[in-house]
């Protein structure tokens, strides 16, 4: 069994859990992103994800970190960590995006990847005067869009005539450092999203969900039509709360401490007004329809993955996810820097030990 990869969500909205925490005020600045990614690299994390929004979906008055300028800057100030930039095709013409991605790929020496997101927050497009296509059409648009981007990444001369894009005799240089092209991540819970991921993605992102749900989702994805020779890999989003009481010999006490921290953070989130977010969600987005089934803390499923408990409990659950097919964990913490360090020092070594035993 290979060792999993660990990544972090850059807190582009300000925070990944409660928007305001006594030890972590809301901060969506580049300086914070830079500090966190450099710490993540130092602590042994191998990947990072930068979500994309034009405006903060939680509150338009809050700061929102811009994805692509930040990705380029972070590529320059890091040495080994993979940098994944989310992209919404409706915001970028594929020629422009392909060229930007090739630039960051070069800056990072092949450490750059994209997370294809067809979009769910209507106001950022509507207020910008950009047509918000119906749900399934967004995925048709995204499929044609990523085909164009991949062809341009190849370095070959491209002639493409599609429903949405017409590319005539265009060649981008230099071609990508990453071969055959930068890695493509894609997530989603709708049939359209899953089918597109099976066809075009290298890695399928799953939202935080219980183990059995993840097992079934992976089995389902493996049955879908795939035109690529390389098998699809799988990544899981999760919010981690891991604890250990040095003065206690009882696992139940440690579990209670982790649960108490979860309840504390959940109480803090009650001060966060989510009305603007929920009003802006496109009604057909399956992820938000499923939120009531899997309540918890953090974005994209967060604590629904069950990574709340003692160091040993969290390590064991991570190992179970690896056994069903998860290669990469994209993690959230709060307070971010403190809990990321705790995870690196206490949980990752336990996962290694469990895998050696198994």
């Amino acid at each position: 069994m290979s060792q999993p990869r660990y990544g972090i969500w850059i807190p582009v909205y300000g925070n990944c859990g409660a928007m305001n925490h006594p030890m972590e005020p809301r901060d969506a600045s580049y300086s914070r992103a830079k500090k966190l990614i450099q710490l993540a690299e130092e602590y042994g994390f191998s990947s990072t994800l930068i979500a994309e929004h034009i405006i903060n979906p939680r509150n338009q008055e809050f700061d929102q970190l811009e994805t692509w300028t930040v990705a380029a800057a972070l590529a320059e100030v890091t040495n080994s960590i993979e940098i994944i930039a989310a992209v919404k095709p409706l915001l970028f013409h594929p020629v422009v995006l392909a060229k930007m991605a090739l630039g960051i790929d070069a800056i990072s020496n092949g450490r750059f990847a994209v997370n294809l997101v067809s979009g769910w927050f209507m106001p950022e497009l509507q207020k910008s005067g950009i047509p918000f296509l119906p749900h399934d059409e967004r995925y048709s648009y995204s499929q044609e869009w990523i085909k164009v981007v991949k062809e341009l990444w190849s370095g070959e001369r491209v002639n493409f005539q599609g429903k949405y894009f017409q590319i005539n005799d265009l060649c981008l240089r230099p071609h990508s450092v990453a071969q055959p092209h930068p890695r493509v991540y894609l997530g989603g819970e709708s049939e359209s999203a899953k089918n597109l991921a099976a066809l075009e993605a290298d890695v399928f992102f799953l939202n935080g969900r219980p183990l059995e749900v993840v097992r079934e989702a992976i089995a389902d994805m493996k049955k879908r039509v795939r035109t690529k020779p390389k098998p699809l890999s799988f990544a899981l989003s999760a919010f981690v709360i891991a604890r250990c009481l040095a003065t206690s010999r009882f696992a139940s006490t440690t579990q209670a401490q982790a649960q108490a921290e979860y309840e504390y953070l959940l109480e803090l989130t009650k001060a966060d007004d989510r009305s603007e977010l929920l009003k802006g969600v496109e009604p057909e987005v399956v992820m938000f329809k499923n939120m009531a089934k899997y309540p918890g803390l953090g974005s994209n499923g967060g604590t629904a993955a069950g990574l709340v408990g003692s160091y040993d409990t969290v390590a064991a659950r991570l190992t179970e996810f690896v056994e069903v097919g998860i290669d990469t964990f994209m993690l959230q913490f709060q307070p971010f820097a403190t809990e990321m360090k705790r995870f690196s020092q206490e949980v990752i070594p336990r996962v290694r030990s469990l895998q050696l035993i198994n």
Side-chain angles (χ1 to χ4, degrees):
M1 187 189 306
S2 60
Q3 291 290 332
R5 301 165 69 242
Y6 302 100
I8 64 165
W9 286 72
I10 293 294
V12 296
Y13 312 113
N15 280 327
C16 293
M19 290 301 281
N20 285 292
H21 184 287
M23 297 174 61
E24 190 172 56
R26 187 176 67 248
D27 181 1
S29 67
Y30 168 71
S31 60
R32 183 185 184 200
K34 175 183 174 182
K35 178 181 178 181
L36 286 177
I37 195 172
Q38 289 178 325
L39 282 173
E41 197 169 63
E42 177 185 335
Y43 295 156
F45 288 78
S46 57
S47 188
T48 190
L49 174 62
I50 314 169
E52 182 179 60
H53 284 288
I54 293 175
I55 55 177
N56 195 311
R58 301 184 185 185
N59 188 323
Q60 287 188 56
E61 299 303 314
F62 293 167
D63 291 347
Q64 174 69 34
L65 196 63
E66 197 286 312
T67 302
W68 282 73
T69 50
V70 167
L74 294 179
E76 180 64 28
V77 299
T78 53
N79 298 304
S80 62
I81 199 165
E82 176 190 38
I83 298 167
I84 309 169
V87 58
K88 294 175 181 173
L90 291 173
L91 297 179
F92 293 94
H93 191 281
V95 172
V96 175
L97 189 283
K99 186 62 178 176
M100 290 168 60
L102 288 171
I104 305 175
D105 170 73
I107 295 168
S108 67
N109 194 30
R111 292 182 287 117
F112 185 62
V114 299
N115 178 34
L116 186 62
V117 182
S118 292
W120 51 265
F121 189 58
M122 297 184 291
E124 64 185 348
L125 294 174
Q126 293 169 339
K127 290 175 182 290
S128 303
I130 300 171
F132 193 85
L133 302 177
H135 182 274
D136 288 352
E137 188 178 357
R138 291 201 302 279
Y139 283 95
S140 297
Y141 184 95
S142 293
Q143 183 171 3
E144 187 170 305
W145 185 95
I146 193 63
K147 284 182 177 179
V148 173
V149 168
K150 285 182 178 180
E151 287 192 27
L152 291 167
W153 278 344
S154 73
E156 301 297 322
R157 194 166 297 278
V158 175
N159 286 281
F160 185 96
Q161 300 299 314
K163 178 180 179 180
Y164 303 104
F165 305 108
Q166 294 76 44
I167 312 300
N168 299 303
D169 195 35
L170 180 62
C171 180
L172 299 183
R173 289 285 190 271
H175 54 69
S176 65
V177 176
Q179 289 296 312
H181 54 68
R183 188 177 289 150
V184 176
Y185 290 76
L186 198 154
E189 298 184 12
S190 69
E191 290 299 302
S192 297
K194 293 173 184 177
N195 287 333
L196 180 55
L199 289 171
E200 297 293 345
D202 300 297
V203 184
F204 184 63
F205 255 135
L206 291 104
N207 293 317
R209 296 289 182 257
L211 179 66
E212 285 307 310
V213 176
V214 170
R215 187 198 307 273
E216 292 170 6
I218 291 175
D220 172 64
M221 289 301 298
K222 288 182 175 180
K223 294 176 184 176
R224 293 175 186 261
V225 175
R226 183 164 175 80
T227 57
K228 311 300 177 187
K230 188 176 180 180
L232 192 64
S233 297
F234 297 94
L236 180 71
S237 178
F239 192 107
V240 180
I241 303 173
R243 288 290 182 273
C244 182
L245 281 172
T247 58
S248 174
R249 298 180 181 178
F250 300 101
S252 60
T253 307
T254 305
Q255 290 292 128
Q257 188 192 32
Q259 185 65 27
E261 180 67 11
Y262 168 79
E263 297 292 343
Y264 170 66
L265 292 175
L266 206 59
E267 187 67 24
L268 288 179
T269 65
K270 291 180 180 179
D272 300 338
D273 183 2
R274 296 173 59 86
S275 59
E276 188 168 339
L277 169 68
L278 296 176
K279 283 190 298 185
V281 174
E282 200 268 342
E284 294 304 311
V285 176
V286 179
M287 177 178 71
F288 283 88
K289 291 181 179 180
N290 285 337
M291 282 179 63
K293 296 182 187 177
Y294 309 105
L297 184 71
S299 64
N300 290 76
T303 51
L307 302 185
V308 177
S310 69
Y311 298 149
D312 289 335
T313 296
V314 172
R317 287 176 182 164
L318 286 165
T319 303
E320 289 175 330
F321 280 119
V322 173
E323 288 172 350
V324 301
I326 297 298
D327 305 295
T328 302
F329 296 94
M330 198 61 63
L331 304 176
Q332 302 174 5
F333 305 95
Q334 192 167 36
F336 210 113
T338 304
E339 296 301 311
M340 177 172 61
K341 183 177 182 180
R342 183 198 298 270
F343 181 87
S344 171
Q345 292 179 339
E346 301 292 348
V347 178
I348 292 178
R350 284 171 165 82
V351 175
R352 290 198 196 103
S353 297
L354 286 172
Q355 290 191 290
L356 288 173
I357 292 170
N358 295 335

